[in-house]
Amino acid sequence: MMPQTIETAQDTRTIRLTAGNGWVTVCDRSLLTPGRGAAALLPDGRQVALSVDRGGRTYAIDNRDPFTGAYVLSRGLVGSDGGQPFVASPLLKQRFDLATSACLDDDEVSVPVFEVRAD
């Protein structure tokens, strides 16, 4: 299964994500720090890991690490490999592509990815 690349928001004031049948406002962009993650709880109970790369692009993937079941991806290390941004799980260090959600260390694994937009 090949994940699709999702458009991300840049230089935004309000971060919104696709959730269910519409868009959900998550937070003000100024609350996010480049190179660090943050967790957000969606109205349906899912947890999202928000990350901003050093170029200012905002990404959102599911916060659950599929290898451990722990909700920790928002606490992972944000980096890049060949220009492609990723977050490394703080537990077992598997890397997840922030644009496609694919695991860079195991082709069979991915996490849900959310489309991000600015309002």
Side-chain angles (χ1 to χ4, degrees):
M1 179 174 122
M2 289 298 297
Q4 292 182 338
T5 300
I6 300 294
E7 286 297 314
T8 62
Q10 277 189 316
D11 303 319
T12 66
R13 293 190 339 201
T14 302
I15 301 299
R16 295 180 57 144
L17 309 177
T18 54
N21 295 327
W23 292 88
V24 175
T25 299
V26 178
C27 69
D28 187 276
R29 170 60 181 83
S30 66
L31 297 174
L32 302 176
T33 303
R36 299 190 68 182
L41 184 62
L42 297 179
D44 64 6
R46 289 181 292 170
Q47 290 186 29
V48 174
L50 299 168
S51 300
V52 178
D53 67 16
R54 302 223 185 265
R57 293 183 68 100
T58 305
Y59 302 91
I61 62 172
D62 197 88
N63 196 31
R64 184 178 178 275
D65 179 341
F67 291 95
T68 64
Y71 291 86
V72 296
L73 293 180
S74 61
R75 296 177 179 259
L77 175 68
V78 177
S80 66
D81 183 11
Q84 195 62 30
F86 68 81
V87 63
S89 172
L91 299 178
L92 301 177
K93 310 303 185 237
Q94 283 89 359
R95 299 168 302 150
F96 296 91
D97 185 305
L98 289 171
T100 68
S101 77
C103 180
L104 300 176
D105 303 302
D106 186 335
D107 293 338
E108 300 292 317
V109 179
S110 66
V111 295
V113 64
F114 297 85
E115 190 173 353
V116 179
R117 81 175 187 196
D119 285 338

